[in-house]
Amino acid sequence: MFKTAFPLSAQMDTPLAANPLVVQARLFVLSCRIGLRCQAELMGFLQHRTKLFDTCLRDLVESIELNDSFDVLADYFQSAFADYPRAFAKMAAVASSMEAEGARLARKLADDVADDIGAKTVS
């Protein structure tokens, strides 16, 4: 009825790694995991910074003298300058661990394809 680029009988004989659709699906799932994990980390960081900003505003409203408000703002910006590099380092660690997982997946798929080609050559 319908002609496909990869006939079903050929798909059943080859290992899953040789099927380009399976490879594409695995890499898509991996990229979705990376995106969702980074978004979760980013949302957690923004929630933390928003809470700190809220306390900073409350402290500013409660401060009576100019020196008090200066100290409140200085503390807030000092914590921000310390938090942002930590957050970027955490995001980099998440991305590198996911990229390492992607490299392992690509290596496994390449090994499966090489083994399949080797088996076809021998027989």
Side-chain angles (χ1 to χ4, degrees), residues 30 34 92-105:
L30 182 65
I34 291 171
V94 167
S96 69
S97 68
M98 291 294 187
E99 288 169 358
E101 186 176 338
R104 280 193 297 275
L105 175 65

Side-chain angles (χ1 to χ4, degrees), residues 3-110:
K3 293 184 179 181
T4 61
F6 302 100
L8 190 59
S9 61
Q11 288 179 2
M12 294 299 179
D13 294 337
T14 60
L16 290 177
N19 188 344
L21 297 175
V22 172
V23 173
Q24 185 179 12
R26 286 183 179 178
L27 292 176
F28 177 73
V29 167
L30 182 65
S31 65
C32 287
R33 284 181 54 203
I34 291 171
L36 292 174
R37 177 102 186 259
C38 288
Q39 284 181 355
E41 292 292 333
L42 182 64
M43 288 299 144
F45 174 72
L46 290 177
Q47 180 183 14
H48 170 70
R49 290 306 307 169
T50 304
K51 286 180 184 178
L52 289 178
F53 183 68
D54 185 39
T55 57
C56 174
L57 289 179
R58 267 193 249 130
D59 290 345
L60 274 176
V61 169
E62 293 173 0
S63 65
I64 298 171
E65 296 179 10
L66 181 62
N67 290 338
D68 292 340
S69 57
F70 179 75
D71 289 340
V72 167
L73 285 176
D75 289 342
Y76 174 76
F77 285 114
Q78 184 179 7
S79 70
F81 285 132
D83 280 349
Y84 278 98
R86 276 190 232 122
F88 286 126
K90 194 173 184 181
M91 292 289 286
V94 167
S96 69
S97 68
M98 291 294 187
E99 288 169 358
E101 186 176 338
R104 280 193 297 275
L105 175 65
R107 188 178 310 121
K108 181 185 178 306
L109 293 173

Side-chain angles (χ1 to χ4, degrees), residues 100-121:
E101 186 176 338
R104 280 193 297 275
L105 175 65
R107 188 178 310 121
K108 181 185 178 306
L109 293 173
D111 290 343
D112 289 349
V113 170
D115 290 344
D116 185 45
I117 291 172
K120 285 182 182 178
T121 306

